[in-house]
Amino acid sequence: MNQTISIGRLEECDYIVYDPLNRVSRKHALLIKEGNKLFIQDLGSVNGTFIDGRQIKPNMKVPITFHNKITLSKDYELDFQKIRFKNLEFENDPNSPSKDDQTILLNNSSVQLNAGGKTIIFDRNHAKLEDLAKHDVNEYKTLGRASTCDFQLEHSIVSKQHLKIRLLTPVIFEIEDLNSTNGTFVDGEKLQANKRYQFSSSAQIRIGTNLVLDLKKYFPELVVLEKRQEPALQKAQVLPAPGAEATSEELKQFKDLEAVWKEYNNRLNQATTKATGYGIGGAVLGLAASAFTGGIAGILLMSGGGILGRYLGQKESNKIRGDLTFEDAFLEVYACPRCKESFQKKPWITIRDCFKCKTKFR
């Protein structure tokens, strides 16, 4: 039986690759099986398709074997032996995943997720929240007056099908207004109908002018983050001179960064297929309840702690950027308590002062 697998960045592809360097085109190539023979066909991709280092011509079906090295562009290796054809593995392939495998850690960074008849490959440190959320398996719950809604709310300003909502992690929810009459507002901002938004758990949801929803009532597992309040600087305040010693509060905040470094370092060294290895705070988005925060399935972020909790807790807005990645969150949290310059990936134990403002911590 002849079968074809499409490969690219688009959601409609069978094998979706979220490459942070965009080496893979939206529709990059086809992997074709005809009987026991395998072929690959480049679809006019921007960076080309290569067999053993040699670029093939676009729109031509080229035979391949398991001994060939296939790359999308010159350096994105395609592990085509793990690609499934309609849930059937390649014959005689010792590395082919079993039908029970849902998520595979290909290395300490790349993750392969098999869900909904598709295969999704993403870098757990650089994958965007919006991309992971597209494939998250956590179900939406509808809210409205209709008896068919998951959460029925009898109120005159509530539409029959008013909104749908789901938890991506214990500290992130995704919400969509279903073209309601009186609108859905989050932190005072009216949501555009039929568009998905992600917010941290501290956000306030309001229907119409005055009906505020208590999310904990609908999602008991929600962990409401406490916002960290930064002391406002007085206009007349004189900042410490360069090279000044850190204050007691700054030293405390610097000490807290040890746990941030350990979480980041443990993640990098964690060669495991468990959901805890994928996430932004320890759990992925449900799907990926395992890629951004840990299976997004099953791991509570220790009352909203971890890198994700810290990141969201220090943001003034509860609205979350769709392009947020784990590494973004880490680099912003792992920063000088005084000037907020990131310490980048410098081990915490080696940091003595801030290279920018020269504040001394040791």
Side-chain angles (χ1 to χ4, degrees), residues 102-214:
Q102 290 301 309
T103 319
I104 302 167
L105 194 60
L106 301 179
N107 51 52
N108 280 357
S109 179
S110 296
V111 176
Q112 174 176 313
L113 178 82
N114 301 312
K118 291 180 178 289
T119 298
I120 302 99
I121 302 290
F122 58 90
D123 183 310
R124 64 192 180 124
N125 296 320
H126 299 97
K128 297 177 183 179
L129 174 65
E130 60 189 358
D131 288 335
L132 294 176
K134 292 173 186 174
H135 305 284
D136 195 276
V137 297
N138 287 334
E139 293 183 0
Y140 282 99
K141 302 293 184 181
T142 54
L143 184 146
R145 292 200 328 270
S147 59
T148 53
C149 290
D150 298 292
F151 303 130
Q152 190 174 9
L153 186 58
E154 288 289 352
H155 197 289
S156 58
I157 64 173
V158 178
S159 297
K160 289 183 178 180
Q161 297 270 347
H162 197 102
L163 61 86
K164 64 179 183 180
I165 188 170
R166 64 174 176 171
L167 290 189
L168 293 178
T169 81
V171 294
I172 298 178
F173 67 86
E174 187 170 68
I175 187 170
E176 179 179 342
D177 180 88
L178 299 176
N179 201 25
S180 63
T181 301
N182 294 302
T184 302
F185 299 77
V186 179
D187 290 342
E189 177 186 349
K190 186 175 183 180
L191 304 185
Q192 181 179 327
N194 304 315
K195 181 179 178 181
R196 298 177 184 180
Y197 297 83
Q198 293 91 33
F199 293 92
S200 72
S201 57
S202 304
Q204 183 190 77
I205 302 175
R206 192 183 81 234
I207 291 178
T209 55
N210 55 14
L211 182 59
V212 176
L213 299 182
D214 179 6

Side-chain angles (χ1 to χ4, degrees), residues 238-289:
V238 179
L239 294 176
E245 299 288 338
T247 66
S248 58
E249 177 60 27
E250 288 169 343
L251 284 174
K252 179 180 180 300
Q253 292 177 27
F254 177 75
K255 176 63 178 174
D256 289 343
L257 294 182
E258 182 180 12
V260 174
W261 170 254
K262 285 182 176 179
E263 179 182 340
Y264 178 77
N265 197 49
N266 287 341
R267 176 190 174 92
L268 294 182
N269 295 327
Q270 191 174 34
T272 176
T273 58
K274 293 182 180 178
T276 51
Y278 306 143
I280 239 190
V284 178
L285 293 179
L287 176 229

Side-chain angles (χ1 to χ4, degrees), residues 273-304:
T273 58
K274 293 182 180 178
T276 51
Y278 306 143
I280 239 190
V284 178
L285 293 179
L287 176 229
S290 312
F292 235 73
T293 54
I296 273 177
I299 297 185
L300 249 163
L301 299 177
M302 294 187 303
S303 300

Side-chain angles (χ1 to χ4, degrees), residues 6 52 130 142 225 317 362:
S6 55
D52 298 331
E130 60 189 358
T142 54
L225 292 171
S317 172
R362 301 183 198 275

